[in-house]
Amino acid sequence: MSRMPNLLVIGGHDPSGGAGIQADIETAIALGCRAFSVVTSLTAQDAKNVQAIYPQAIEPFTHQLELLLASLQPDAVKIGLLGDASLAGVIGKAIAPLHCPVVLDPVLAAGGGTDLASQAIIKGIREELLPHVSLLTPNLGEAYRLSGETHPSSAVSTLNAMGCDYVLLTGTDATNGDHVPISLYQNDHPSDNFYWPRLPGTYHGSGCTLASACAASLALGQDMLSAVAAAQAYTWQTLKNADQPLPGQHLPHRLPKS
Ligand code: PLP
């Protein structure tokens, strides 16, 4: 592709810069995409935890997204934090006609512990978004909550049945072992397993970085298996190079060091 691929990112703003739309934009740039961004919510948070979410009202959000998509043809879309259930329907309607991969990071809880999704948001993700999603990137807890199941394989089956083609299930929250397991499932069947050496810190924005890197790699034209493999390798490096500019969790280092 001679032009830069267009990556549309839709998600929340995190003032610490570790997670959210800043993570998405930095990842897009680092991987060679042009980022277009529509913010669902502002948040009050530091590198320890999320204290509050301030969603955009539905009217300005709809205006911003629809106006952008009237002239933009994205090569991939990445969706993160919603903040309010009503935005799910607006996003679902906007992405339904697009002919490009859509990556959804469900963001149901913050690493610091705050719950980021009501039952209404979960319903909105299930009904309005999953039917249009190519790749869902939950951790195990999010997969259970979103599917209503309590076993990884039944959770993946249920999520596939809700409409998403692939599930990349991350196990950072599942074990304390030396390695973090990550599995890609296509239509319910395991396609590949990855194991990453567990890094010593706690990281704010690792899930956002991974999902954005998947979306950027897909926008660059990679197939799903190559995209998720490349995205994991990139994300692991950003965590290995993470630093701690604020007290709390480490923040991924996504852009080349100058
Ligand atoms: N804030 C925003 C805007 C997010 O999008 C996310 C995760 O996607 C978080 C906070 C939580 O990030 P983490 O769980 O990595 O701390």
Side-chain angles (χ1 to χ4, degrees):
M1 192 185 288
S2 55
R3 65 172 177 84
M4 254 183 149
N6 297 331
L7 180 60
L8 171 60
V9 297
I10 303 171
H13 178 257
D14 164 14
S16 84
I21 212 96
Q22 185 170 330
D24 301 335
I25 295 170
E26 288 180 3
T27 302
I29 294 168
L31 295 182
C33 294
R34 183 178 289 280
F36 297 83
S37 53
V38 181
V39 174
T40 54
S41 304
L42 301 178
T43 68
Q45 62 180 302
D46 52 21
K48 293 181 184 156
N49 205 354
V50 178
Q51 288 199 8
I53 301 179
Y54 301 99
Q56 280 220 67
I58 190 162
E59 247 179 62
F61 177 79
T62 307
H63 190 184
Q64 291 154 40
L65 185 60
E66 287 184 354
L67 182 61
L68 183 64
L69 283 174
S71 55
L72 174 70
Q73 286 191 352
D75 295 295
V77 179
K78 187 256 167 166
I79 305 166
L81 178 78
L82 293 182
D84 188 88
S86 66
L87 304 186
V90 176
I91 298 169
K93 194 165 155 245
I95 61 173
L98 300 178
H99 300 286
C100 68
V102 175
V103 178
L104 173 67
D105 176 11
V107 196
L108 302 185
T114 299
D115 190 359
L116 302 176
S118 60
Q119 266 314 113
I121 289 179
I122 290 176
K123 186 169 183 286
I125 292 175
R126 285 177 182 157
E127 294 176 6
E128 310 285 353
L129 296 180
L130 286 186
H132 309 295
V133 166
S134 322
L135 174 68
L136 180 73
T137 63
N139 61 29
L140 200 57
E142 288 167 336
Y144 288 162
R145 227 173 130 197
L146 209 48
S147 64
E149 305 283 353
T150 53
H151 189 274
S153 60
S154 41
V156 169
S157 294
T158 301
L159 293 169
N160 280 141
M162 288 174 180
C164 59
D165 304 322
Y166 289 85
V167 177
L168 187 67
L169 190 59
T170 66
T172 39
D173 57 337
T175 67
N176 294 315
D178 288 347
H179 285 79
V180 175
I182 301 186
S183 300
L184 178 68
Y185 297 83
Q186 178 183 17
N187 294 328
D188 206 343
H189 297 298
S191 314
D192 224 323
N193 294 308
F194 305 84
Y195 298 91
W196 292 93
R198 186 179 288 279
L199 292 162
T202 56
Y203 303 93
H204 178 45
S206 54
C208 304
T209 307
L210 177 64
S212 303
C214 289
S217 301
L218 290 167
L220 286 159
Q222 297 188 28
D223 62 46
M224 188 59 79
L225 187 53
S226 314
V228 301
Q232 289 172 67
Y234 168 75
T235 303
W236 194 84
Q237 281 300 328
T238 71
L239 303 183
K240 190 164 173 278
N241 294 330
D243 54 7
Q244 206 175 11
L246 304 174
Q249 302 172 89
H250 289 70
L251 305 188
H253 202 108
R254 287 174 284 255
L255 294 170
K257 288 182 179 159
S258 50

